[in-house]
Amino acid sequence: GFVGWQERLKGSKNVGYYSVGVLPEHRGEGYAKEAVAKILSTKSAGVDEVRAMIVHTNAASRRLAESLSVPVEII
């Protein structure tokens, strides 16, 4: 799997977005939450806010963002 970070200017704010991917055979084991929590703890201080950009059909990613209190942008 992977975890990534991207920053974008949205108006006058610097917004951080995380990305995460977990191989199907390892989903549901908490790896995504652990990885995203770690990247948020190291990167979020450098941005004005953090958001998750999630495809509308990805319910698991929406639940992950909610569990980490990260606002979601549905695409």
Side-chain angles (χ1 to χ4, degrees), residues 1-4 6-7 10-11 13 27 30 33 37 41 47-48 50-51 54-55 65-67 71 73 75:
F2 70 89
V3 64
Q6 182 180 59
E7 295 179 20
K10 291 277 199 169
K13 291 186 177 185
R27 291 180 183 157
K33 187 170 187 174
S41 73
V47 296
D48 298 311
V50 175
R51 298 182 194 167
I54 300 172
V55 175
E66 184 178 296
S67 75
E73 286 185 22
I75 57 172

Side-chain angles (χ1 to χ4, degrees), residues 26-65:
H26 297 291
R27 291 180 183 157
E29 297 179 24
Y31 295 124
K33 187 170 187 174
E34 180 180 346
V36 172
K38 179 66 174 175
I39 204 166
L40 292 177
S41 73
T42 61
K43 298 284 191 175
S44 63
V47 296
D48 298 311
E49 61 185 82
V50 175
R51 298 182 194 167
M53 191 177 304
I54 300 172
V55 175
H56 72 281
T57 57
N58 192 336
S61 287
R62 287 197 316 249
R63 286 191 303 273
L64 173 63

Side-chain angles (χ1 to χ4, degrees), residues 13-31:
K13 291 186 177 185
N14 188 22
V15 179
Y17 294 89
Y18 67 83
S19 58
V20 64
V22 178
L23 296 171
E25 61 268 25
H26 297 291
R27 291 180 183 157
E29 297 179 24
Y31 295 124

